[in-house]
Each structure stands twice: as structure tokens, then as C-alpha cells.
Amino acid sequence: MRGVIFDGEQPRVVDDLVVRDPGPGEVLVGIRAAGLCHSDLSVIDGTIPFPVPVVLGHEGAGVVEAVGAGVGHVVPGDHVALSTLANCGACAECDRGRPTMCRKAIGMPQQPFRRGERELFSFASNSAFAERTVVKAVQAVKIAEDIPLTSAALIGCGVLTGVGAVLNRAKVDRGDSVVVIGAGGIGLNVLQGARIAGASVIVAVDANPAKEDVARQFGATHFIDASAVADSVKAVKEILPTGADHAFECVGSTRLIRQAVDLLDRHGQAVLLGVPPATAEASFLVSSMYLDKSILGCRYGSARPQRDIALYARLYCEGRLLLDELVTRTYPVEDFARAADDAHHGRVARGVLTFGPDPGAPLARS
């Protein structure tokens, strides 16, 4: 079968992958569409250290092909969106409703793939850049069959992370003010999360002026072109003189992390979503924190995927959550190099790799 692998030197599209059958508590999914996230590119450039060889991809949707013993919530033929959380469901963190903190879900990659005699790792317990993948049952969330799979694919990472950061981690309230630094795939979902939460002022900041229209479409009430102003903090303060209730850094720049902290009002929260290099250090004025300000890390939108993916799918069906609009372009998996180049240069909000016929069209209910 086809898939995108990274061997430590360069990514390649291959056609001779094999994936094992699902074991107890596992699901075999035929992938139809998979979003290309910057985290995939970060594995390739070394920002995210990961063992190789690895089958890339972690933002996918498809159709269940087989289930292992003990799986009852999905059956073959169901349409599912996949999460990256292979949480155990039984530890103290899972029991507290914090599956993103499950220690068994982090740093323990499996090797369900083979290529010839060599085993390959699964990226983020998911590997959606393959025609078929095996995931834990908890990662497969059933969705309505009339949701286009090219759109549904994006729920499992970009939407969970961005919207979840707003609703679950920051808990933005009605009337709050929000600044979003970076209007890429994650930033757009933060913007629409803020809109859904009822924020009154939502400021998008990006160095690419071409992103203004889409930022406003997703919920921004104001847009600041960081390439055209000498001081982005000052520009934001002209809109929010006392600062913002919430500032989300969605780029992964230590300079912009400092900017997010400097933008806060009293009791404000800076939420860090971008991923800088693993050894990066950021600084801030300690004295500024004594006005009850907070700096919050956020893993995967503090999500509970079985609950949140189903919720976001329902909001999409109600017209309240934008998914189709996130898909700038689709690519057959063989065009991975072009998709990666477009993502690297910011030409797309989200590019989506496709497998099989017409994955973007709603499929008839069986």
C-alpha cells in the first residue's frame, strides 16, 4: 500500500508498506484524507525529534475496515475521524478527564508497519499518511457519513488543538478580548473557537497581509499586518488599550511568546500553541506577572477526543464550525512534496492528502 515515510534523511512516497491486523482494542482504518500539519514538517526538519523510519501523518479520517476484540463503539463501514491520543483510559490522569496527560500516550511509539524486512514506527500513534493504519479504539471517533472526509480529517489535530485551546484550556468567556498571533491552520481554529465562545474583540496578527480575509471569515474582528507596522504590541494596544484577556501564540517563536505576554491585561492568559525547537528558552518580565497574569502551556487543546470530535462534527453540521473553508487545496498522496512546499511557504491554510476516489464528496449512507 502507499504511504509517506521519513527515513531520517528525506520524506518519500512508497507503495510497498504493510500494516498488521488490529489486535484487541484496536481498529484498522482505511484512510481517505489526511491534513498536512506543520508538526509533520517539524519531524522532517528535526524540530520534533522522532525515531525513524516512520510513517508520517496524524490528522486523518477514513472508513473502518476491521476491529479487534473488545471494540464495540465502531464497526466496519463506519466513518471516523482520528485523534492522536492513544491514552490508556485507566490511569489517574485519564480518570480525571485529562487524557492529554496520560503518560502511556506520550513517548512510546509502536511499530505496526513493515516495509520489506524492516519495521516502521507510527507517528503520533496515528500515521494517517498511509492507505491503512492501525489505531487504538479510543482514537477512532464515529462521525456522520455525510461529512466530507477531506474536511473531517482536520478535526483530529488542527481543530482539536485550536478550538480546544479556547474552550478547554483558556475557557474564553462571552465578552472577552482575544489576540491570536499567527493565522495559519491552528490560528484560524483559535479564531473560530473565540467566535464560538462569544469573545467580543478578536484580533488576528500575522505577517502575511493576504491572510486578512480568511482570518475575518473565521472570526477576527480586527487584523494587524505585522509586516507593515513597526511595533505589533503597540498596534494591538491601539485596539485594546489595557491589553487582552487572552493571547494565543500559534507560531512557535520565542520572540512572539514574549509578545503574547506583553499584550495581556490584568488577569490575562498567554496560551502557547506554537512549537519552537525543543531546547528553546523564552523570557518575560517577571514583575508583569504579579497582576494575576498566567502563561499556559496547552497540549492538543486539552482535548477529550471522544467528546470533542463528536461535538465539533455536530457544530459543523449546524453551520457553526468551519471545516470546508480550512481546506485550501487537496493533493493525491503522490504529490506530497508539492503539498509540503506549499505548507512550508504558507500558501495554504491546510493542504489535504487524499487516498481513493472522491474523498471530498459526502458519501451515501449505507
Side-chain angles (χ1 to χ4, degrees):
M1 68 179 183
R2 294 171 298 166
V4 181
I5 69 169
F6 177 60
D7 60 9
E9 295 183 2
Q10 62 181 3
R12 287 186 290 160
V13 180
V14 300
D15 61 6
D16 57 352
L17 285 177
V18 176
V19 67
R20 64 171 172 78
D21 292 332
E26 294 181 333
V27 178
L28 175 68
V29 178
I31 298 295
R32 298 293 185 269
L36 176 53
C37 173
H38 278 277
S39 294
D40 299 300
L41 301 181
S42 293
V43 173
I44 295 169
D45 68 20
T47 300
I48 296 178
F50 204 87
V52 295
V54 58
V55 180
L56 295 174
H58 64 286
E59 188 178 68
V63 180
V64 174
E65 295 191 0
V67 301
V71 177
H73 74 291
V74 292
V75 298
D78 282 347
H79 288 203
V80 292
L82 302 182
S83 85
T84 68
L85 272 188
N87 58 294
C88 72
C91 68
E93 297 295 347
C94 287
D95 192 52
R96 294 186 182 105
R98 299 195 298 231
T100 58
M101 296 295 107
C102 175
R103 296 182 190 278
K104 293 186 178 181
I106 305 173
M108 299 182 183
Q110 303 298 307
Q111 294 175 294
F113 298 95
R114 295 189 69 87
R115 186 169 182 246
E117 297 301 314
R118 191 168 190 184
E119 294 183 332
L120 290 82
F121 288 99
S122 175
F123 178 52
S125 304
N126 189 307
S127 289
F129 292 170
E131 288 187 87
R132 292 179 181 84
T133 191
V134 169
V135 297
K136 290 186 66 172
V138 71
Q139 296 176 254
V141 184
K142 185 177 178 179
I143 58 173
E145 292 183 13
D146 55 0
I147 300 176
L149 291 172
T150 46
S151 298
L154 304 187
I155 300 177
C157 179
V159 176
L160 273 186
T161 299
V163 178
V166 173
L167 302 183
N168 299 329
R169 187 67 168 124
K171 300 186 186 301
V172 173
D173 202 358
R174 288 172 295 176
D176 283 356
S177 58
V178 171
V179 175
V180 181
I181 302 173
I186 298 300
L188 291 177
N189 282 298
V190 174
L191 289 170
Q192 69 171 334
R195 170 178 53 78
I196 290 168
S200 59
V201 179
I202 306 172
V203 183
V205 182
D206 199 284
N208 183 354
K211 292 184 178 180
E212 179 172 1
D213 288 345
V214 69
R216 290 185 180 275
Q217 180 184 21
F218 275 74
T221 59
H222 300 75
F223 182 88
I224 292 174
D225 175 7
S227 69
V229 297
D231 186 340
S232 295
V233 172
K234 182 178 179 180
V236 172
K237 290 290 184 71
E238 291 178 359
I239 300 166
L240 297 168
T242 62
D245 296 313
H246 312 274
F248 295 82
E249 200 282 337
C250 305
V251 177
S253 160
T254 56
R255 177 180 64 85
L256 296 179
I257 289 172
R258 169 60 185 268
Q259 191 176 99
V261 174
D262 290 344
L263 284 169
L264 297 177
D265 195 358
R266 299 181 180 191
H267 302 279
Q269 300 179 131
V271 183
L272 311 186
L273 296 177
V275 182
T279 58
E281 297 182 0
S283 64
F284 58 92
L285 287 176
V286 176
S287 61
S288 72
M289 303 304 292
Y290 295 112
L291 294 174
D292 284 0
K293 299 179 184 181
S294 303
I295 300 174
L296 305 179
C298 184
R299 171 173 161 77
Y300 204 42
S302 301
R304 294 163 64 182
Q306 285 288 335
R307 177 199 66 174
D308 290 350
I309 289 177
L311 169 62
Y312 300 155
R314 186 169 71 248
L315 292 177
Y316 166 81
C317 292
E318 294 172 354
R320 298 169 61 192
L321 182 84
L322 303 181
L323 292 179
D324 304 339
E325 296 81 359
L326 284 168
V327 182
T328 310
R329 186 172 180 178
T330 61
Y331 310 79
V333 66
E334 291 80 6
D335 284 348
F336 172 79
R338 188 195 324 177
D341 187 66
D342 286 347
H344 177 72
H345 289 95
R347 301 186 190 108
V348 293
R350 226 13 156 232
V352 176
L353 301 181
T354 60
F355 300 82
D358 299 322
L363 301 183
R365 294 182 183 275
S366 57

